[in-house]
Amino acid sequence: MQTTSGMADQVAALATLLQARRATLATAESCTGGWVAKALTDRAGSSAWFMGGIVCYSNQAKQDVLGVPEAMLAEHGAVSEPVVRVLAAEARRRLGASLAVSISGIAGPGGGSPDKPVGLVWFAWDDMSGSRAESRVFEGGREAVREQSVRHALAGCIARAESMAQCADY
């Protein structure tokens, strides 16, 4: 696994891309507990492109803060594609960002099931061109799953930012 300086390199690359496109970023995090936002704000000057982050760990917070429908949580669970798509879209809308990333997963050591094992993490990225969601199953203990999730979320933000056009309205 890379060191934290590798994560700082990801943030530096993302910052460069966002600033070149006059774009901004927001986060909605569950299992990572704000780690993505922390990594972003570790970079001096991040307030120029980072709008803010929302940690919505409980299902109630997902409903109350970011408007995830209770029926959606009941049907799909918090660790699911529909939920992360709502989280990303609402974080982007509510924080006024060009791009948002959301993360919801099962970091362990407990909480897994045959359908949703420990290490399963769902991600969504949302911008004006639409949203993209995907899941990964990471190996290792709780800290390893969370760190890999942060790195994957940042990599996805870089990929989305690379495809964004420069737009003053973003």
Side-chain angles (χ1 to χ4, degrees):
M1 195 164 299
Q2 297 175 338
T3 63
T4 17
S5 65
M7 198 178 289
D9 292 342
Q10 284 183 291
V11 172
L14 179 58
T16 299
L17 287 165
L18 291 171
Q19 288 176 303
R21 287 152 177 79
R22 296 189 310 241
T24 56
L25 176 65
T27 62
E29 301 180 65
S30 187
C31 68
T32 49
W35 194 343
V36 174
K38 187 234 184 277
L40 297 171
T41 58
D42 280 348
R43 182 171 179 81
S46 58
S47 62
W49 46 267
F50 180 55
M51 300 304 290
I54 299 167
V55 177
C56 44
Y57 203 74
S58 72
N59 283 356
Q60 193 65 53
K62 289 173 181 67
Q63 291 173 54
D64 294 347
V65 178
L66 288 174
V68 176
E70 183 178 4
M72 180 183 287
L73 287 162
E75 182 178 350
H76 301 284
V79 181
S80 65
E81 180 176 355
V83 169
V84 293
R85 283 185 186 271
V86 170
L87 293 174
E90 286 300 308
R92 184 171 79 85
R93 184 182 71 78
R94 292 174 191 223
L95 292 170
S98 312
L99 169 65
V101 60
S102 66
I103 306 165
S104 186
I106 304 166
S113 69
D115 290 343
K116 293 184 179 183
V118 169
L120 172 66
V121 182
W122 272 96
F123 302 85
W125 297 269
D126 188 90
D127 62 31
M128 288 181 67
S129 68
S131 70
R132 177 175 183 269
E134 65 185 37
S135 65
R136 293 283 185 271
V137 178
F138 297 115
E139 298 293 322
R142 182 176 182 80
E143 195 71 3
V145 168
R146 294 174 75 221
E147 182 173 349
Q148 291 170 82
S149 297
V150 172
R151 292 181 188 286
H152 188 73
L154 291 171
C157 287
I158 290 168
R160 284 303 277 235
E162 285 174 339
S163 67
M164 292 172 93
Q166 187 172 357
C167 179
D169 297 333
Y170 243 111

